[in-house]
């Protein structure tokens, strides 16, 4: 085994879109494993939009990453060495060990995964945090009924792809919004959504209206911005909106540029159509994770829940891949292969 750890730390806080110089690759000595702890070797690292928020020191639901600290993130890791009685060498776990090749753990936040169920990388996506986010938002807030129309943006991505498929499993119509013809073809033909609309098309709003002749009953909000503007006039009375994220705004500068204030128009529609809009964090619903894992594993096994991963090779590629995620360059759940599975 190598005697150093490679890790990527936060070098500076981005102003606007992150740049490669905001990250720094470092090497440090491999630690000894104290009694009661274990050493994890990262196989896959998850890259997720929330990491952009943690790079900023603006007030938020969670503490920022400190300058010089390892970038945070979930991993699928192998236990390399164990001095912990509940964990043995060779086990594959989901951990929260960050952008680094190895990490010590006291075992508290680990979740064992069974490599026989599905490829282990799915522990970060369809059978992990992002799949659970889709499930929790739809089940607790969206609550689509059979025959209703569910619209989701970033529909080829980690959360959106699962939202539409679960909506269809429950008998609803699923309309996906994605960037570009390849992603739209995947959403419609591979994932089986009823329609997929390209948000970059010049007549995007008209195409969306045509795909939703009965209006929109559930809008699963991942994006904000121009997509919200197109969705707003199509919302039905008593529509439900799980507000999951607004990735189109994550790189906005702290001080907003002067722009048209959309809030009054949004509020007016929300009030006059008796719409429910409810922000959520997946962790609110963690008690439902066992039910999710059971149901989603069944759907994966019987082929009703499909997934796509965008796998980037090498820890040193993580900054560029993350910058690309905020610009729609990923196609499917973005993960970095940090070491081989073998
Ligand atoms: N509330 C929670 O607990 C929770 C948990 C996980 C994720 N989330 C949120 O869920 C959303 C999706 O996350 P994910 O992990 O599934 O990411 P993802 O969809 O796999 O990847 C991000 C995608 O967002 C789209 N995008 C980026 N900038 C955009 C823009 N300006 N306008 C429209 N689309 C844009 C791109 O897809 P296109 O090329 O198709 O546009 C990009 O591929 C994010 O807002 C994230 O913060 C929330």
């Amino acid at each position: 085994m190598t005697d150093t750890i490679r890790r990527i730390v936060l070098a500076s806080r981005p102003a606007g879109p992150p740049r490669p110089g905001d990250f720094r690759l470092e090497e440090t000595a491999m630690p000894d494993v104290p009694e009661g702890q274990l050493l994890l070797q990262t196989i896959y690292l998850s890259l997720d939009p929330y990491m952009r928020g943690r790079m900023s020191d603006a007030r938020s639901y969670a503490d920022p990453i400190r300058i010089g600290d390892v970038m945070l993130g979930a991993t699928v890791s192998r236990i390399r060495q164990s001095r912990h009685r509940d964990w043995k060498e060779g086990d594959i776990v989901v951990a929260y060990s960050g952008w680094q090749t190895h990490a010590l753990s006291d075992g508290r936040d680990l979740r064992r995964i069974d490599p026989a169920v599905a490829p282990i990388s799915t522990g970060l996506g369809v059978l992990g945090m992002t799949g659970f986010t889709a499930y929790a938002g739809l089940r607790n807030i969206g609550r689509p009924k059979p025959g209703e129309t569910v619209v989701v943006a970033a529909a080829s991505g980690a959360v959106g792809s699962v939202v539409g498929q679960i909506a269809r499993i429950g008998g609803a119509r699923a309309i996906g919004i994605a960037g570009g013809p390849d992603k739209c073809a995947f959403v419609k033909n591979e994932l089986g959504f009823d329609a997929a609309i390209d948000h970059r098309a010049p007549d995007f709003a008209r195409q969306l209206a045509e795909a939703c002749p009965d209006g929109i009953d559930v809008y699963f909000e991942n994006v904000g911005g121009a997509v919200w503007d197109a969705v707003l006039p199509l919302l039905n009375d008593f529509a439900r909106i799980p507000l999951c994220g607004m990735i189109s705004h994550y790189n906005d500068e702290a001080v907003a540029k002067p722009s048209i204030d959309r809030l009054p128009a949004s509020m007016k529609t929300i009030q006059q159509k008796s719409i429910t809009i409810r922000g959520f964090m997946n962790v609110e619903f963690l008690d439902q994770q066992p039910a999710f894992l059971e149901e989603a594993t069944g759907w994966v096994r019987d082929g009703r829940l499909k997934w796509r991963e965008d796998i980037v090779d090498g820890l040193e590629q993580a900054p560029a891949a993350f910058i690309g995620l905020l610009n729609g360059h990923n196609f499917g759940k973005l993960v970095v292969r940090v070491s081989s599975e073998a």
Side-chain angles (χ1 to χ4, degrees):
M1 192 165 62
T2 163
D3 57 0
T4 56
I5 293 178
R6 288 186 308 126
R7 59 190 198 182
I8 293 178
V9 302
L10 180 65
S12 53
R13 299 201 186 283
R19 289 167 307 176
D22 295 323
F23 306 88
R24 188 172 62 242
L25 182 64
E26 289 182 346
E27 286 203 14
T28 178
M30 187 73 69
D32 292 330
V33 183
E35 186 58 39
Q37 297 218 13
L38 46 90
L39 179 69
L40 298 167
Q41 178 177 17
T42 309
I43 303 173
Y44 293 106
L45 163 68
S46 181
L47 294 181
D48 297 280
Y50 75 85
M51 294 166 174
R52 175 64 186 83
R54 299 292 186 89
M55 296 174 78
S56 157
D57 59 5
R59 204 178 139 86
S60 172
Y61 64 94
D63 291 338
I65 302 169
R66 289 176 307 184
I67 301 292
D69 276 3
V70 178
M71 289 289 298
L72 296 168
T75 64
V76 166
S77 297
R78 174 182 289 108
I79 298 181
R80 269 303 194 200
Q81 239 182 299
S82 179
R83 300 190 66 196
H84 190 299
R85 60 184 184 167
D86 297 338
W87 300 94
K88 63 175 195 316
E89 266 173 49
D91 281 352
I92 304 289
V93 295
V94 175
Y96 200 65
S97 49
W99 297 27
Q100 54 187 340
T101 56
H102 300 79
L104 288 174
S105 164
D106 61 9
R108 256 186 292 182
D109 291 337
L110 304 185
R111 177 169 69 84
R112 200 175 266 110
I113 49 178
D114 179 358
V117 169
I120 57 175
S121 50
T122 58
L124 301 173
V126 67
L127 295 177
M129 182 276 280
T130 53
F132 177 59
T133 301
Y135 176 91
L138 214 49
R139 175 177 164 160
N140 296 285
I141 304 165
R143 296 171 170 271
K145 301 183 192 75
E148 286 192 330
T149 298
V150 176
V151 171
V152 61
S156 71
V159 175
S161 60
V162 178
V163 168
Q165 292 183 87
I166 296 181
R168 279 188 55 86
I169 288 169
R173 285 186 78 232
I175 310 299
I177 297 169
D182 290 349
K183 287 185 178 180
C184 286
F186 169 73
V187 166
K188 185 162 186 322
N189 303 332
E190 306 283 326
L191 301 181
F193 283 41
D194 296 277
I197 314 295
D198 182 354
H199 66 83
R200 299 209 194 102
D203 60 345
F204 161 61
R206 185 190 59 76
Q207 286 192 41
L208 184 64
E210 271 177 23
C212 304
D214 301 324
I216 297 173
D217 302 295
V218 177
Y219 173 53
F220 196 103
E221 175 64 294
N222 282 331
V223 161
V227 174
W228 169 256
D229 292 340
V231 164
L232 189 65
L234 304 176
L235 291 167
N236 288 334
D237 288 356
F238 302 103
R240 286 86 65 201
I241 303 176
L243 172 48
C244 177
M246 300 216 297
I247 193 169
S248 75
H249 296 289
Y250 291 176
N251 282 332
D252 289 354
E253 304 269 356
V255 181
K257 296 189 190 87
S259 62
I260 300 165
D261 182 1
R262 295 180 172 110
L263 194 60
S266 298
M267 297 285 248
K268 185 175 166 198
T269 304
I270 290 165
Q271 185 252 320
Q272 293 184 351
K273 292 188 172 178
S274 306
I275 289 165
T276 301
I277 180 163
R278 155 87 149 85
F280 76 101
M281 303 292 301
N282 61 62
V283 288
E284 294 177 54
F285 303 111
L286 268 190
D287 60 326
Q288 296 171 19
Q289 200 184 36
F292 157 72
L293 283 172
E294 197 181 322
E295 278 196 278
T297 300
W299 295 329
V300 162
R301 281 205 172 111
D302 69 19
R304 281 191 288 171
L305 185 53
K306 302 190 177 72
W307 72 94
R308 178 179 173 126
E309 292 169 334
D310 189 336
I311 298 183
V312 173
D313 271 302
L315 180 67
E316 63 286 355
Q317 300 302 326
F322 176 66
I323 291 166
L325 173 75
L326 299 168
N327 291 305
H329 294 173
N330 63 305
F331 190 166
K333 171 73 195 101
L334 183 59
V335 291
V336 180
R337 184 166 20 225
V338 176
S339 67
S340 98
E341 283 189 35

